Amino acid sequence: MRFQLTDDQRALRDGVRELLTRRFGAEALRAAAEPADEPGRLDRALWRELGEAGFFALRLPEADGGVGLGLPEAVLAFEEAGRALLPGPLVATHLAAGEVPGAATGEVVVAAVGNGLVEWLAEADVVRGDATGAVPLRSVDPLTPLHRVPVASDADPVAVLLTAAEQLGGATRACELAVQHARTREQFGQPIGAFQAIKHLCAEMLVRTETARAAVYAAAVTADPADIDTARLLADEAAVRGARDCLQVHGGMGFTWEFEVHLHLKRAWVRTHRTVDATESEERLAAALLAESR
């Protein structure tokens, strides 16, 4: 199958990227991540601006005040959010549009229980799922405060796919950062990208990212549970391994607060624990493949 974006889809993707670049660029990202030892704080003004732009109401019918688009368009928007490391319970609020008053417009922040974790519980106006007994955790990602709850909630397949889209965006950005650094950083009188080891790292990052992209876009079209699990597993691998390889390309510089590379790795780790465990996705996918083979 060919997954060429339509002109409208490209315009949507470019519009979301422009908005996030303007409102949550590199300086805003670093400011939001500091100090690293305090939980993140949600930018309510940005949240409302996302609502005004239709980010949360993308799949809501026009008759209900939404944009009236589909899952493929939502995936493109969340891919851009992942690329920008946009903080906040984006998936939970998006899924609540049309059900929780104010969620579609960004006036209300919605958190959701998934896999025994809740992101942004303290900042949420509404929590979907049982958050009784929530205990705060020290999150590895300074932009994603976490709480653990005793009882996990069932994962919405759309939540799994949108998380995979965010992972895809993070993997894409990590690949871009690695290539950019490899072109400009010089050692022994030449760019480090001239060395075979760096070339291989960047090439492998690109292959994993584009493989995940095909899987995520396909799942957005089919909405098949097995396709969604496949997309989730490939996107997790592309995001985590891509961020680690990007750190390798940057060397010790990648761990400093001056660069965003380490933040992509930390966010990728956190996303792998959102909705369902990878093991559960693997088991569901294996069961689907066995059933198909029979």
Side-chain angles (χ1 to χ4, degrees), residues 258-274:
E258 183 180 355
F259 292 87
E260 67 184 76
V261 182
H262 65 104
L263 294 175
H264 279 283
L265 178 57
K266 293 170 180 176
R267 182 69 60 82
W269 279 335
V270 169
R271 290 195 199 108
T272 61
H273 294 284
R274 188 190 293 168

Side-chain angles (χ1 to χ4, degrees), residues 53 56 78 83 114 125 139 154 175 191 200 256 282-283:
F56 301 118
F78 274 82
R83 183 179 181 275
D125 303 308
S139 176
D154 293 334
C175 188
H200 284 181
T256 65
E282 291 169 345
E283 290 176 350

